[in-house]
């Protein structure tokens, strides 16, 4: 009742797309200045939001896209633009201003979606669910989805130990680095979306 090949394939795909190691500096940058307990809660919330979105699209994702007449490339471009706006805030230091972030739960946006549950992860899950023809394959797909979210939570939860080492100056450096990385991810996502539009036309 368990297909190791299906599990391994989807888990590795989601690991590359959702990038648990790469999310660490972005998580630290977006949650900087908050109490440790709040940061831990936000790590859990981000994973729950991402998991909820992934499960929803895994179950009825294609129907949602068809109903809204939204193509996958359009989803990728929109997600890229949203990430780019957030990246610019990190690069310019605007995200450090408390009046802008104190009432904003970054665990929902951008951490939960579109950083973790981005277009790439959503499309991968939709395709994996559609291809899983047997019960064992279906079980393996959902097990892989659960496993990657557990990994994501563990990475973000224990990345808080880094803050104790790098102190405030290090947090500023990490914030700028995260902004640069996030802007590159956003631009690449937009490029991928535009490329698919061109190929489909």
């Amino acid at each position: 009742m368990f297909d190791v090949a299906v599990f391994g394939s989807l888990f590795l795909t989601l690991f590359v797309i959702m990038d648990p190691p790469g999310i660490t500096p972005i998580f630290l940058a977006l949650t900087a200045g908050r109490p440790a307990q709040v940061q831990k809660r936000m790590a859990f919330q981000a994973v729950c939001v991402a998991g909820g979105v992934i499960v929803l699209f895994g179950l009825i994702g294609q129907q949602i896209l068809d109903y809204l007449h939204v193509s996958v490339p359009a989803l990728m471009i929109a997600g890229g633009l949203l990430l780019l706006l957030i990246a610019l805030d990190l690069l310019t230091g605007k995200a450090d201003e408390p009046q802008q972030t104190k009432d904003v739960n970054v665990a929902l946006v951008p951490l939960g979606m579109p950083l973790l549950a981005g277009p790439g992860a959503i499309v991968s899950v939709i395709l994996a669910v559609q291809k899983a023809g047997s019960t064992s394959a279906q079980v393996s797909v959902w097990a892989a989805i659960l496993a990657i979210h557990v990994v994501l939570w563990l990475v973000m939860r224990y990345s808080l130990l880094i803050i104790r080492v790098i102190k405030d100056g290090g947090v500023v450096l990490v914030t700028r680095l995260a902004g640069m990385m996030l802007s590159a991810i956003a631009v690449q996502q937009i490029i991928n979306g535009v490329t698919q539009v061109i190929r489909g036309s």
Side-chain angles (χ1 to χ4, degrees), residues 4 10 38 46 56 60 96 127 135 138-139 142-143 150 172 190 193 200:
V4 177
L10 181 58
V38 173
L56 177 65
I60 56 171
D96 298 333
L127 293 177
T135 302
Q138 286 284 349
V139 170
W142 293 107
V150 170
V172 173
I190 294 170

Side-chain angles (χ1 to χ4, degrees), residues 24-74:
T24 301
I26 298 172
F27 171 74
L28 292 176
L30 291 173
T31 61
R34 291 176 171 84
Q37 206 59 37
V38 173
Q39 290 176 308
K40 293 175 184 176
R41 186 171 70 245
M42 293 177 85
F44 181 73
Q45 289 174 338
V47 170
C48 288
V49 169
V53 171
I54 291 292
V55 168
L56 177 65
F57 276 89
L59 295 173
I60 56 171
Q62 193 59 58
Q63 292 90 324
I64 292 174
L65 295 180
D66 291 343
Y67 177 76
L68 296 174
H69 304 289
V70 174
S71 65
V72 172

Side-chain angles (χ1 to χ4, degrees), residues 27 40 48 53 64 66 101-102 109 118 124 131 148 159 161 200:
F27 171 74
K40 293 175 184 176
C48 288
V53 171
I64 292 174
D66 291 343
T101 59
K102 65 179 181 180
V109 177
S124 296
K131 290 178 181 177
I148 192 62
S159 69
L161 298 175

Side-chain angles (χ1 to χ4, degrees), residues 162-174:
I162 298 174
I163 295 179
R164 298 178 186 176
V165 177
I166 62 177
K167 307 299 182 184
D168 291 342
V171 169
V172 173
L173 178 61
V174 166

